[in-house]
Amino acid sequence: MDVRLDIFSSGRFPGWEKGLKLGVGLLLGASLSACGDPDWQGTDWTKNYQDSFETQISSRASFMPGNTDKAYQPSADGVPNSPVAYHSPPMLSYEDRPLDENITGSLELADYVKAIRVAKLDPWISGPGPYTLFAIPNAAMERLNTRWHGGLLAPENRGQLVHILGYTIAYGKWDEAALRKAIARNHGHAIGLKTLYGDLLGVQVSPRTGELVLENTAGETNRLWGKSFAQSNGVLYFTQDTLLPTPVPVSAGRKHGHR
């Protein structure tokens, strides 16, 4: 259990403005405008995708984490006769491919990928970026989904879904080295990353474990699952749970008894 990090005290996120990419305001304005239209009509995404011919080719790849091996069950007679009788395939993240392609290749992120598509945020992470994506694994997505009546992907919860998933997309290319360097420049204090709809996502080094920890403005934390993965248009992380922007819009259909 991570200790609460007091990173939102006086002088909230000192120095984080210097690390923001130029043009964030324009991009943020465009994203908020798009979010206001349920179907994002009038937004031309045709020029937002990466041009494969302009992407530097690389053969470097890394294994992405996952819990799918837990579903492996050898058949009683040794003959593969069902899907669970096979080991899960390796899930590779390729450095010369964009975020949307690599997360699609991860079984561990199947629920997150579906949610990203329902929220129509996939054009952002398929574009030139750079973006840093804090992807939510299946188990955490399933827990989150139960907190909204009808499920978070239900049409009536579209606003909450877009807001929550937008909080997992930060502007800039922030691998572990870049994050730790920025925190060190900030005298060991947390830095704030600007996310898709303007919410600040805090990043701090846990004084107990030395790990990088995410935190929102309510002091709630979320740990990362392993290392980062270089992408052609940014950086990919797997988180261990969900972290909501605060205040989170409350759905009128939200289940009673859940917070």
Side-chain angles (χ1 to χ4, degrees):
M1 179 178 180
D2 288 298
V3 297
R4 173 169 175 163
L5 307 176
D6 187 17
I7 63 177
F8 291 91
S9 56
S10 178
R12 171 188 295 182
F13 295 130
W16 66 266
E17 295 93 344
K18 297 180 180 178
L20 293 180
K21 181 181 176 182
L22 291 177
V24 161
L26 293 176
L27 287 171
L28 178 59
S31 65
L32 288 172
S33 175
C35 186
D37 180 356
D39 296 318
W40 290 11
Q41 296 175 353
T43 302
D44 180 13
W45 294 110
T46 59
K47 298 179 182 180
N48 194 51
Y49 290 85
Q50 278 197 318
D51 187 340
S52 298
F53 294 101
E54 295 180 358
T55 302
Q56 184 176 358
I57 302 300
S58 170
S59 60
R60 298 183 62 180
S62 301
F63 288 99
M64 293 185 283
N67 286 321
T68 54
D69 281 334
K70 294 180 180 179
Y72 174 71
Q73 299 175 10
S75 60
D77 56 4
V79 177
N81 56 9
S82 70
V84 295
Y86 296 89
H87 283 291
S88 62
M91 296 176 286
L92 294 172
S93 174
Y94 297 91
E95 294 187 8
D96 64 345
R97 305 314 305 153
L99 285 156
D100 69 310
E101 289 189 22
N102 280 320
I103 65 172
T104 301
S106 169
L107 295 176
E108 188 60 51
L109 298 178
D111 291 341
Y112 178 76
V113 170
K114 181 179 180 180
I116 284 283
R117 290 174 176 171
V118 170
K120 298 183 180 180
L121 295 181
D122 43 315
W124 288 99
I125 58 175
S126 64
Y131 299 106
T132 298
L133 190 68
F134 297 95
I136 305 171
N138 292 331
M141 281 295 298
E142 290 166 7
R143 290 193 297 270
L144 180 66
N145 191 54
T146 62
R147 296 175 60 181
W148 273 263
H149 179 72
L152 189 54
L153 272 60
E156 60 269 24
N157 296 325
R158 172 73 186 281
Q160 290 90 332
L161 175 68
V162 173
H163 192 190
I164 290 169
L165 294 184
Y167 198 51
T168 68
I169 304 172
Y171 292 104
K173 192 170 185 177
W174 294 97
D175 59 15
E176 298 105 315
L179 288 173
R180 291 183 183 277
K181 184 176 180 180
I183 292 170
R185 284 201 307 264
N186 206 31
H187 307 291
H189 300 295
I191 61 170
L193 305 184
K194 198 82 165 184
T195 57
L196 198 56
Y197 296 116
D199 302 285
L200 285 179
L201 176 62
V203 186
Q204 175 65 290
V205 175
S206 169
R208 183 170 63 86
T209 65
E211 298 174 306
L212 291 171
V213 178
L214 308 179
E215 184 172 4
N216 63 15
T217 54
E220 299 167 333
T221 61
N222 191 8
R223 292 187 297 168
L224 302 176
W225 185 1
K227 65 175 185 177
S228 66
F229 299 88
Q231 313 283 287
S232 62
N233 63 344
V235 178
L236 170 64
Y237 289 92
F238 285 63
T239 64
Q240 295 194 23
D241 210 329
T242 55
L243 187 65
L244 306 184
T246 52
V248 178
V250 177
S251 169
R254 197 167 182 176
K255 290 183 177 179
H256 295 292
H258 291 269
R259 297 184 64 185

